[in-house]
PDB file of all heavy atoms in Angstrom:
ATOM      1  N   GLY A 259      -3.569   4.105  -8.325  1.00 97.00           N
ATOM      2  CA  GLY A 259      -2.549   3.037  -8.492  1.00 97.00           C
ATOM      3  C   GLY A 259      -1.383   3.223  -7.545  1.00 97.00           C
ATOM      4  O   GLY A 259      -1.385   4.124  -6.701  1.00 97.00           O
ATOM      5  N   ILE A 266       1.050  11.042  -4.223  1.00 98.00           N
ATOM      6  CA  ILE A 266       0.268  11.742  -3.278  1.00 98.00           C
ATOM      7  C   ILE A 266       0.986  11.830  -1.933  1.00 98.00           C
ATOM      8  O   ILE A 266       1.076  12.898  -1.335  1.00 98.00           O
ATOM      9  CB  ILE A 266      -1.113  10.993  -3.092  1.00 98.00           C
ATOM     10  CG1 ILE A 266      -1.940  11.068  -4.362  1.00 98.00           C
ATOM     11  CG2 ILE A 266      -1.889  11.579  -1.918  1.00 98.00           C
ATOM     12  CD1 ILE A 266      -3.141  10.112  -4.397  1.00 98.00           C
ATOM     13  N   LEU A 270       2.104  15.518  -0.461  1.00 98.00           N
ATOM     14  CA  LEU A 270       1.511  16.026   0.797  1.00 98.00           C
ATOM     15  C   LEU A 270       2.541  16.577   1.725  1.00 98.00           C
ATOM     16  O   LEU A 270       2.277  17.413   2.614  1.00 98.00           O
ATOM     17  CB  LEU A 270       0.727  14.891   1.538  1.00 98.00           C
ATOM     18  CG  LEU A 270      -0.652  14.508   0.876  1.00 98.00           C
ATOM     19  CD1 LEU A 270      -1.245  13.340   1.556  1.00 98.00           C
ATOM     20  CD2 LEU A 270      -1.632  15.707   0.874  1.00 98.00           C
ATOM     21  N   ASP A 296      -3.523   4.741   4.409  1.00 97.00           N
ATOM     22  CA  ASP A 296      -2.448   5.289   5.289  1.00 97.00           C
ATOM     23  C   ASP A 296      -2.511   6.806   5.322  1.00 97.00           C
ATOM     24  O   ASP A 296      -1.992   7.399   6.275  1.00 97.00           O
ATOM     25  CB  ASP A 296      -1.116   4.839   4.781  1.00 97.00           C
ATOM     26  CG  ASP A 296      -0.859   5.251   3.346  1.00 97.00           C
ATOM     27  OD1 ASP A 296      -1.530   4.719   2.451  1.00 97.00           O
ATOM     28  OD2 ASP A 296       0.011   6.122   3.078  1.00 97.00           O
ATOM     29  N   GLU A 370      21.281  18.357 -17.030  1.00 98.00           N
ATOM     30  CA  GLU A 370      21.322  19.660 -17.799  1.00 98.00           C
ATOM     31  C   GLU A 370      20.161  19.750 -18.763  1.00 98.00           C
ATOM     32  O   GLU A 370      19.674  20.853 -19.022  1.00 98.00           O
ATOM     33  CB  GLU A 370      22.644  19.857 -18.466  1.00 98.00           C
ATOM     34  CG  GLU A 370      23.701  20.221 -17.441  1.00 98.00           C
ATOM     35  CD  GLU A 370      25.052  20.335 -18.064  1.00 98.00           C
ATOM     36  OE1 GLU A 370      25.185  20.344 -19.267  1.00 98.00           O
ATOM     37  OE2 GLU A 370      26.013  20.446 -17.265  1.00 98.00           O
ATOM     38  N   ASN A 380       9.838   9.585 -17.561  1.00 98.00           N
ATOM     39  CA  ASN A 380      10.466   9.101 -16.316  1.00 98.00           C
ATOM     40  C   ASN A 380      10.990   7.652 -16.587  1.00 98.00           C
ATOM     41  O   ASN A 380      10.225   6.846 -17.134  1.00 98.00           O
ATOM     42  CB  ASN A 380       9.471   9.115 -15.179  1.00 98.00           C
ATOM     43  CG  ASN A 380      10.046   9.411 -13.842  1.00 98.00           C
ATOM     44  OD1 ASN A 380      10.690  10.423 -13.664  1.00 98.00           O
ATOM     45  ND2 ASN A 380       9.843   8.495 -12.918  1.00 98.00           N
ATOM     46  N   VAL A 405      27.968  -8.370 -20.698  1.00 98.00           N
ATOM     47  CA  VAL A 405      27.549  -8.045 -19.331  1.00 98.00           C
ATOM     48  C   VAL A 405      26.396  -8.985 -18.918  1.00 98.00           C
ATOM     49  O   VAL A 405      25.454  -9.181 -19.746  1.00 98.00           O
ATOM     50  CB  VAL A 405      27.031  -6.586 -19.247  1.00 98.00           C
ATOM     51  CG1 VAL A 405      26.762  -6.185 -17.807  1.00 98.00           C
ATOM     52  CG2 VAL A 405      28.007  -5.594 -19.918  1.00 98.00           C
ATOM     53  N   TRP A 428       0.647 -17.296  -4.623  1.00 96.00           N
ATOM     54  CA  TRP A 428       1.678 -17.666  -5.612  1.00 96.00           C
ATOM     55  C   TRP A 428       3.011 -17.017  -5.219  1.00 96.00           C
ATOM     56  O   TRP A 428       4.074 -17.608  -5.243  1.00 96.00           O
ATOM     57  CB  TRP A 428       1.204 -17.250  -6.997  1.00 96.00           C
ATOM     58  CG  TRP A 428       2.107 -17.770  -8.108  1.00 96.00           C
ATOM     59  CD1 TRP A 428       1.940 -18.944  -8.768  1.00 96.00           C
ATOM     60  CD2 TRP A 428       3.320 -17.186  -8.587  1.00 96.00           C
ATOM     61  NE1 TRP A 428       2.963 -19.080  -9.680  1.00 96.00           N
ATOM     62  CE2 TRP A 428       3.811 -18.074  -9.564  1.00 96.00           C
ATOM     63  CE3 TRP A 428       4.035 -16.038  -8.267  1.00 96.00           C
ATOM     64  CZ2 TRP A 428       5.001 -17.747 -10.278  1.00 96.00           C
ATOM     65  CZ3 TRP A 428       5.182 -15.746  -8.963  1.00 96.00           C
ATOM     66  CH2 TRP A 428       5.692 -16.642  -9.957  1.00 96.00           C
ATOM     67  N   PHE A 463      20.124  -9.794 -19.688  1.00 98.00           N
ATOM     68  CA  PHE A 463      19.342  -9.252 -18.553  1.00 98.00           C
ATOM     69  C   PHE A 463      18.303 -10.320 -18.133  1.00 98.00           C
ATOM     70  O   PHE A 463      17.455 -10.657 -18.951  1.00 98.00           O
ATOM     71  CB  PHE A 463      18.652  -7.939 -18.933  1.00 98.00           C
ATOM     72  CG  PHE A 463      17.762  -7.376 -17.835  1.00 98.00           C
ATOM     73  CD1 PHE A 463      18.019  -7.548 -16.502  1.00 98.00           C
ATOM     74  CD2 PHE A 463      16.667  -6.638 -18.219  1.00 98.00           C
ATOM     75  CE1 PHE A 463      17.223  -7.042 -15.527  1.00 98.00           C
ATOM     76  CE2 PHE A 463      15.814  -6.069 -17.255  1.00 98.00           C
ATOM     77  CZ  PHE A 463      16.111  -6.291 -15.916  1.00 98.00           C
ATOM     78  N   PHE A 470       8.825 -10.254  -1.929  1.00 96.00           N
ATOM     79  CA  PHE A 470       8.729  -9.064  -1.068  1.00 96.00           C
ATOM     80  C   PHE A 470       7.962  -8.025  -1.841  1.00 96.00           C
ATOM     81  O   PHE A 470       7.720  -8.165  -3.033  1.00 96.00           O
ATOM     82  CB  PHE A 470      10.168  -8.569  -0.668  1.00 96.00           C
ATOM     83  CG  PHE A 470      11.085  -8.387  -1.809  1.00 96.00           C
ATOM     84  CD1 PHE A 470      11.190  -7.183  -2.490  1.00 96.00           C
ATOM     85  CD2 PHE A 470      11.930  -9.455  -2.246  1.00 96.00           C
ATOM     86  CE1 PHE A 470      12.032  -7.027  -3.568  1.00 96.00           C
ATOM     87  CE2 PHE A 470      12.776  -9.288  -3.319  1.00 96.00           C
ATOM     88  CZ  PHE A 470      12.829  -8.110  -3.939  1.00 96.00           C
ATOM     89  N   ALA A 485      42.275  -2.544 -11.661  1.00 97.00           N
ATOM     90  CA  ALA A 485      42.138  -2.866 -10.218  1.00 97.00           C
ATOM     91  C   ALA A 485      40.770  -2.362  -9.698  1.00 97.00           C
ATOM     92  O   ALA A 485      40.147  -1.471 -10.316  1.00 97.00           O
ATOM     93  CB  ALA A 485      43.250  -2.163  -9.424  1.00 97.00           C
ATOM     94  N   VAL A 501      22.863  13.483  -6.022  1.00 98.00           N
ATOM     95  CA  VAL A 501      22.283  13.714  -4.717  1.00 98.00           C
ATOM     96  C   VAL A 501      21.784  12.455  -4.063  1.00 98.00           C
ATOM     97  O   VAL A 501      21.769  12.304  -2.850  1.00 98.00           O
ATOM     98  CB  VAL A 501      21.093  14.745  -4.883  1.00 98.00           C
ATOM     99  CG1 VAL A 501      20.368  14.968  -3.595  1.00 98.00           C
ATOM    100  CG2 VAL A 501      21.652  16.085  -5.416  1.00 98.00           C
ATOM    101  N   PHE A 502      21.299  11.514  -4.863  1.00 98.00           N
ATOM    102  CA  PHE A 502      20.706  10.311  -4.291  1.00 98.00           C
ATOM    103  C   PHE A 502      21.427   9.021  -4.613  1.00 98.00           C
ATOM    104  O   PHE A 502      21.069   7.964  -4.085  1.00 98.00           O
ATOM    105  CB  PHE A 502      19.278  10.206  -4.830  1.00 98.00           C
ATOM    106  CG  PHE A 502      18.314  11.288  -4.367  1.00 98.00           C
ATOM    107  CD1 PHE A 502      17.869  12.263  -5.180  1.00 98.00           C
ATOM    108  CD2 PHE A 502      17.896  11.273  -3.013  1.00 98.00           C
ATOM    109  CE1 PHE A 502      17.004  13.225  -4.721  1.00 98.00           C
ATOM    110  CE2 PHE A 502      17.027  12.255  -2.537  1.00 98.00           C
ATOM    111  CZ  PHE A 502      16.620  13.254  -3.391  1.00 98.00           C
ATOM    112  N   ASP A 508      31.068  -0.960   1.517  1.00 98.00           N
ATOM    113  CA  ASP A 508      30.630  -2.258   2.080  1.00 98.00           C
ATOM    114  C   ASP A 508      29.556  -2.885   1.172  1.00 98.00           C
ATOM    115  O   ASP A 508      28.782  -2.166   0.520  1.00 98.00           O
ATOM    116  CB  ASP A 508      30.032  -2.037   3.476  1.00 98.00           C
ATOM    117  CG  ASP A 508      31.067  -1.440   4.433  1.00 98.00           C
ATOM    118  OD1 ASP A 508      32.187  -1.975   4.438  1.00 98.00           O
ATOM    119  OD2 ASP A 508      30.738  -0.502   5.089  1.00 98.00           O
ATOM    120  N   HIS A 524      27.563  -0.952  -4.972  1.00 98.00           N
ATOM    121  CA  HIS A 524      28.793  -1.521  -4.423  1.00 98.00           C
ATOM    122  C   HIS A 524      29.568  -2.234  -5.508  1.00 98.00           C
ATOM    123  O   HIS A 524      28.992  -2.820  -6.459  1.00 98.00           O
ATOM    124  CB  HIS A 524      28.423  -2.505  -3.333  1.00 98.00           C
ATOM    125  CG  HIS A 524      29.598  -3.225  -2.766  1.00 98.00           C
ATOM    126  ND1 HIS A 524      29.914  -4.537  -3.101  1.00 98.00           N
ATOM    127  CD2 HIS A 524      30.583  -2.827  -1.951  1.00 98.00           C
ATOM    128  CE1 HIS A 524      31.044  -4.889  -2.423  1.00 98.00           C
ATOM    129  NE2 HIS A 524      31.468  -3.894  -1.762  1.00 98.00           N
ATOM    130  N   VAL A 531      36.932 -10.235 -13.160  1.00 98.00           N
ATOM    131  CA  VAL A 531      35.513  -9.916 -13.266  1.00 98.00           C
ATOM    132  C   VAL A 531      35.131  -8.841 -12.222  1.00 98.00           C
ATOM    133  O   VAL A 531      35.523  -8.901 -11.085  1.00 98.00           O
ATOM    134  CB  VAL A 531      34.633 -11.162 -13.057  1.00 98.00           C
ATOM    135  CG1 VAL A 531      33.148 -10.771 -12.915  1.00 98.00           C
ATOM    136  CG2 VAL A 531      34.805 -12.120 -14.158  1.00 98.00           C
ATOM    137  N   PHE A 559      13.535  23.999  -7.594  1.00 98.00           N
ATOM    138  CA  PHE A 559      13.505  23.737  -6.147  1.00 98.00           C
ATOM    139  C   PHE A 559      14.774  22.962  -5.764  1.00 98.00           C
ATOM    140  O   PHE A 559      15.472  22.443  -6.628  1.00 98.00           O
ATOM    141  CB  PHE A 559      12.285  22.856  -5.832  1.00 98.00           C
ATOM    142  CG  PHE A 559      10.945  23.408  -6.258  1.00 98.00           C
ATOM    143  CD1 PHE A 559       9.928  22.573  -6.638  1.00 98.00           C
ATOM    144  CD2 PHE A 559      10.727  24.801  -6.293  1.00 98.00           C
ATOM    145  CE1 PHE A 559       8.709  23.072  -7.054  1.00 98.00           C
ATOM    146  CE2 PHE A 559       9.509  25.309  -6.708  1.00 98.00           C
ATOM    147  CZ  PHE A 559       8.444  24.448  -7.115  1.00 98.00           C
ATOM    148  N   LEU A 567      13.786  10.981   2.917  1.00 97.00           N
ATOM    149  CA  LEU A 567      12.997   9.942   3.470  1.00 97.00           C
ATOM    150  C   LEU A 567      13.786   8.994   4.370  1.00 97.00           C
ATOM    151  O   LEU A 567      14.990   8.923   4.268  1.00 97.00           O
ATOM    152  CB  LEU A 567      12.305   9.163   2.352  1.00 97.00           C
ATOM    153  CG  LEU A 567      11.532  10.040   1.313  1.00 97.00           C
ATOM    154  CD1 LEU A 567      11.159   9.235   0.082  1.00 97.00           C
ATOM    155  CD2 LEU A 567      10.326  10.660   1.949  1.00 97.00           C
ATOM    156  N   PHE A 572      14.762  -2.175   9.482  1.00 88.00           N
ATOM    157  CA  PHE A 572      14.559  -3.412  10.261  1.00 88.00           C
ATOM    158  C   PHE A 572      13.279  -4.139   9.835  1.00 88.00           C
ATOM    159  O   PHE A 572      12.349  -3.484   9.398  1.00 88.00           O
ATOM    160  CB  PHE A 572      14.453  -3.069  11.766  1.00 88.00           C
ATOM    161  CG  PHE A 572      15.609  -2.278  12.280  1.00 88.00           C
ATOM    162  CD1 PHE A 572      15.522  -1.021  12.783  1.00 88.00           C
ATOM    163  CD2 PHE A 572      16.914  -2.846  12.228  1.00 88.00           C
ATOM    164  CE1 PHE A 572      16.561  -0.338  13.236  1.00 88.00           C
ATOM    165  CE2 PHE A 572      17.990  -2.105  12.677  1.00 88.00           C
ATOM    166  CZ  PHE A 572      17.837  -0.851  13.190  1.00 88.00           C
TER     167      PHE A 572
END
Side-chain angles (χ1 to χ4, degrees):
I266 294 169
L270 286 174
D296 57 294
E370 284 176 12
N380 213 58
V405 188
W428 191 93
F463 177 32
F470 50 90
V501 175
F502 291 108
D508 297 314
H524 175 256
V531 170
F559 305 147
L567 307 169
F572 306 117

